[in-house]
Amino acid sequence: MLNAYRQDLRISRFFAKLPEYHSGQLLLFGDNFTETHFINRELSWIDFNTRVFQEALRETNTIFERLNFLSIVSTNLNEFFQVRVAALNHIVAKDSLAIDTSRQTFREIINQIYKKNGTLLEKLYSQIAISIHLLENEGIFYKSSCPNFSSKEAQDFLSKLKPENDFSALENQKIYAGFCFKNETKFIQIPKYRIFWLDSHTFTTMDDLILANPQYFFGDKKPLFSFTISVDRDSDLVVQDTEDQHDFINAMEETLSLRRFSAATRILIHAEQKNEAKIKMRLGSEFGQILFFVPGFVHPEFLIGLKKGFRKYNFAANDEKESDNFPDMMVRLRSLTKNHRPCCHEIVTSSIFDYLDKKDLLVHFPYESYFPILKFISDAAENRDVTEIKITLYRTEHNSRIVNELVLASLKGKKVTVFMEVKARFNEQLNINLGKILEDAGIKVIYSLEKLKVHAKIALVVKGSSLYANLSTGNYNSETSYVYSDISLFTSKSEIASRVARIFDAIENKPKTLSDVKSSFTDFSDKEQFVFTSPFFIKRKIISLIKNEATHGGDGLIIAKMNNLGDEDIIMELEKAARKGVKILLNVRGICQIYAQENIRIISIVGKFLEHSRIFYFKNFGDEKLYVSSSDWMLRNLDKRLEVMFQILDKECFERIKNILMTYFKDESHAHQMKFDGTWDAPKNPKGFSAQNFLLKSSVTQESL
């Protein structure tokens, strides 16, 4: 009772700290909405990336932490223009007057995006220039002017690079050196490893070396001027589902090939200012709005590689493999030191299943070890009573440790079933390759469901008559577990595990239409259910929970943490509840399409770790309910993906997750707060309480791995 009182006191103080409500976003009469304004999804995302940029400017950052955040800003923009801007272009191509829920035309939104992109690029490159100067304090110096090579190995390598003759031949996201001659322009692809150390303290780049040595490509023919260029191309290409899995895989691989040369959505060029007008004329006027000249390296994210220090250039390493294109830059760029992390000691020294027979196990990444995930599969492989292992894989690492464990389990005679989602954006080819490895090991692999993308993160072990389940907010990926903040629950509770088993049964039956999907999960909608799936049922449950809080008026309380919030129906129900007095606290890391209001307070935390967990709390008139999910409150998650939301039943796990959730709303150093006009206030005390630092220091388990 005392804890509940303290919680209510903290929440009332939180609401009291913000300005008084003023009308303007929402017009209501009783329970009937007359008008609701939504923040545009894409513009909200740019606001998020601006918050990431602001993290780079923290005075407490080291130079490499600064470069990490600047790199993330750059790579975020790369993907944004490949996917979201491309999707908007498709909408405008079908209907040039189409209007968004923010009541702007999509054409207007695209224009705002390019304008905001230009502003953000100016800020980004200003900080890149400052960062290169600050590197000198670390004894690292950049030299842009490069003499001719004396290294025969380097000369041989450069001489093998072949010019491209046409802009249309420039591949998506590759970087090229452009050489302009009197009547033509030639392009040389810059190798993916761009840092070239001249000595132990001085570096140049492959960009500089190639631009300074055109003789290796053109002999005595001298260019008029040169530049570097990269093209973001449309990656929002859809593959039609087919009943035959191998036909679908073939169609996917063909689409991936088309992605390399699809329509341009953004062009970045670094050139001398005096040559910019000439380059525009060479490329053509049709690229006017999407063409951006930048005062520094095109795609500067490679600079984080300087943290590794002096290394002799490895020319052989530039033989590019498909796996090198893995786009999860958040992991690749942070280059975090992989320190030992706490782990439950009992599962280290004995079977994880013995532990789960007694109680649930909760793991909070990155603050705790990934070991329990691997132990779950390896113990299943070793235990003679285990007959089956089932798992969904959405994104995993190149040399996946979980894939290795699954292969070993299969070789030990276990029946293993893997759902490998090959529609996971930018992971398609990697997942296809991993699926073939699993198939070669005798594992049953399901590659895709028609009409749905499977985003659920679940695993199941069948041991005799017992079922053991793992449900998570994050991917089965040991690399991201060092960076992403995620919740993972292990349980043998039949209320949870039996439902996970039913989900896998539905997946294996491969429903072909949304009606089939709905009928596959119909009996999941009963009142005693503790596991919910989308499409259909998560959204229905969330709305039901919100409406229930609304019946309690001023005693109602909703606290939610997620990546993105944009579902219109949920937003309207939240606003209705707020008008009835329900207090609503939202922690939304990225896209947020709802406005802050009198009873709706919104924070967004960007910190050392990527906040990826989704946690939903409902006071329920004292009978508190807590749910964890793989799903954001977005249309794509709730209506177009197979997701899982599960209720926390174990009392100890419940209290721990609730405390984690509340900790974020104490944050002073990293919590941006949304104002009533949809803009964001910076954290109020950069040196104040940090939720992530607190969680890092207060990991509850003792042993480390």
Side-chain angles (χ1 to χ4, degrees), residues 80-91 114 233-237 263 265:
F80 178 69
F81 277 90
Q82 290 177 83
V83 180
R84 291 308 310 163
V85 175
L88 295 183
N89 286 337
H90 294 170
I91 293 172
Y114 282 110
R233 295 189 181 276
D234 183 349
S235 296
D236 188 48
L237 304 178
T265 57

Side-chain angles (χ1 to χ4, degrees), residues 326 391-397 402 418-428 430-431 434 453-458 474-477 612 614 636-637 641-643:
F326 184 63
I391 193 169
T392 61
L393 295 179
Y394 187 74
R395 296 192 194 278
T396 190
E397 66 267 44
I402 200 73
V418 175
F419 182 90
M420 179 70 75
E421 181 54 86
V422 295
K423 288 184 282 193
R425 182 95 59 185
F426 300 118
N427 256 67
E428 299 96 339
L430 176 61
N431 286 2
L434 291 174
K453 182 181 287 188
V454 176
H455 193 247
K457 284 80 176 180
I458 51 175
N475 296 298
Y476 292 105
N477 187 319
H612 194 248
R614 293 90 166 181
R636 65 182 184 188
N637 299 92
R641 293 183 177 183
L642 178 59
E643 305 268 16

Side-chain angles (χ1 to χ4, degrees), residues 66-81:
R66 171 191 284 259
L67 283 172
N68 269 331
F69 281 110
L70 295 176
S71 298
I72 293 164
V73 171
S74 179
T75 53
N76 281 350
L77 284 170
N78 298 342
E79 183 173 336
F80 178 69
F81 277 90

Side-chain angles (χ1 to χ4, degrees), residues 208-431:
D208 295 305
L209 296 178
I210 290 172
L211 290 171
N213 293 279
Q215 68 274 15
Y216 290 115
F217 321 112
F218 311 113
D220 294 333
K221 187 178 180 181
K222 294 184 178 181
L224 301 174
F225 58 89
S226 57
F227 57 94
T228 52
I229 182 172
S230 181
V231 184
D232 295 333
R233 295 189 181 276
D234 183 349
S235 296
D236 188 48
L237 304 178
V238 179
V239 181
Q240 294 299 319
D241 292 308
T242 61
E243 187 170 348
D244 185 276
Q245 293 224 81
H246 291 96
D247 287 347
F248 179 79
I249 294 298
N250 291 335
M252 176 63 76
E253 291 185 310
E254 183 177 343
T255 299
L256 295 180
S257 178
L258 292 174
R259 180 188 286 171
R260 295 162 59 198
F261 304 106
S262 55
T265 57
R266 186 180 65 153
I267 303 170
L268 298 178
I269 295 178
H270 175 47
E272 290 186 35
Q273 191 172 6
K274 64 181 181 181
N275 295 322
E276 290 180 3
K278 300 173 186 176
I279 295 171
K280 284 183 180 179
M281 290 181 63
R282 293 283 180 120
L283 292 180
S285 59
E286 68 268 26
F287 297 121
Q289 185 184 31
I290 71 173
L291 183 60
F292 294 89
F293 288 94
V294 295
F297 300 114
V298 171
H299 296 327
E301 51 268 22
F302 75 95
L303 291 169
I304 193 60
L306 292 168
K307 184 176 182 180
K308 297 177 181 178
F310 174 80
R311 293 190 177 192
K312 186 177 179 181
Y313 197 85
N314 186 350
F315 293 98
N318 276 297
D319 293 332
E320 195 158 345
K321 301 182 179 68
E322 181 61 41
S323 61
D324 291 321
N325 292 323
F326 184 63
D328 201 345
M329 300 301 294
M330 184 68 76
V331 176
R332 290 172 60 189
L333 296 175
R334 284 191 185 276
S335 304
L336 294 176
T337 301
K338 297 182 180 179
N339 296 323
H340 292 300
R341 296 181 288 175
C343 183
C344 174
H345 181 61
E346 289 182 58
I347 69 164
V348 176
T349 56
S350 62
S351 168
I352 193 172
F353 305 119
D354 292 342
Y355 182 94
L356 296 178
D357 285 336
K358 296 177 289 185
K359 59 188 297 187
D360 290 355
L361 173 65
L362 179 73
V363 181
H364 189 199
F365 305 123
Y367 310 103
E368 296 175 275
S369 173
Y370 185 75
F371 175 78
I373 299 287
L374 300 174
K375 188 78 159 59
F376 189 65
I377 304 300
S378 62
D379 279 5
E382 296 292 339
N383 192 302
R384 64 182 63 185
D385 295 327
V386 169
T387 55
E388 288 190 64
I389 303 170
K390 300 182 180 185
I391 193 169
T392 61
L393 295 179
Y394 187 74
R395 296 192 194 278
T396 190
E397 66 267 44
H398 306 302
N399 299 313
S400 172
R401 296 166 67 184
I402 200 73
V403 166
N404 292 339
E405 293 291 341
L406 292 168
V407 168
L408 288 172
S410 179
L411 295 176
K412 288 179 178 290
K414 312 301 179 184
K415 181 182 177 181
V416 181
T417 302
V418 175
F419 182 90
M420 179 70 75
E421 181 54 86
V422 295
K423 288 184 282 193
R425 182 95 59 185
F426 300 118
N427 256 67
E428 299 96 339
Q429 189 63 59
L430 176 61
N431 286 2

Side-chain angles (χ1 to χ4, degrees), residues 336-339 341 366 401 478-484 609:
L336 294 176
T337 301
K338 297 182 180 179
N339 296 323
R341 296 181 288 175
R401 296 166 67 184
S478 62
E479 290 298 320
T480 56
S481 77
Y482 286 94
V483 183
Y484 288 19
F609 303 121

Side-chain angles (χ1 to χ4, degrees), residues 86-144:
L88 295 183
N89 286 337
H90 294 170
I91 293 172
V92 171
K94 292 179 181 178
D95 181 358
S96 62
L97 300 178
I99 297 177
D100 179 57
T101 55
S102 64
R103 302 196 303 180
Q104 304 172 83
T105 68
F106 285 100
R107 190 180 296 279
E108 289 172 336
I109 292 166
I110 291 172
N111 291 338
Q112 288 185 65
I113 286 171
Y114 282 110
K115 183 178 179 180
K116 286 177 176 285
N117 174 69
T119 301
L120 188 52
L121 284 179
E122 287 180 14
K123 295 178 179 179
L124 174 66
Y125 277 91
S126 173
Q127 290 300 319
I128 290 290
I130 292 171
S131 299
I132 290 175
H133 178 70
L134 290 175
L135 282 168
E136 296 179 4
N137 297 331
E138 303 293 323
I140 299 174
F141 300 88
Y142 168 59
K143 185 176 183 179
S144 60

Side-chain angles (χ1 to χ4, degrees), residues 560-628:
K561 175 184 183 296
M562 65 199 79
N563 294 331
N564 303 298
L565 170 56
D567 184 88
E568 294 176 33
D569 297 325
I570 288 180
I571 287 175
M572 292 187 69
E573 291 301 331
L574 288 171
E575 291 179 334
K576 286 180 183 179
R579 295 292 289 180
K580 289 188 175 183
V582 176
K583 298 292 188 293
I584 300 172
L585 295 177
L586 301 174
N587 177 5
V588 185
R589 187 198 79 216
I591 297 166
C592 186
Q593 294 183 249
I594 187 174
Y595 282 94
Q597 297 166 30
E598 182 178 12
N599 288 322
I600 300 177
R601 301 308 195 208
I602 306 171
I603 65 170
S604 178
I605 292 178
V606 178
K608 181 178 182 181
F609 303 121
L610 180 77
E611 290 299 334
H612 194 248
S613 56
R614 293 90 166 181
I615 307 170
F616 315 133
Y617 167 90
F618 300 87
K619 187 177 179 181
N620 193 34
F621 211 60
D623 183 18
E624 301 169 302
K625 305 293 183 184
L626 187 64
Y627 300 85
V628 174

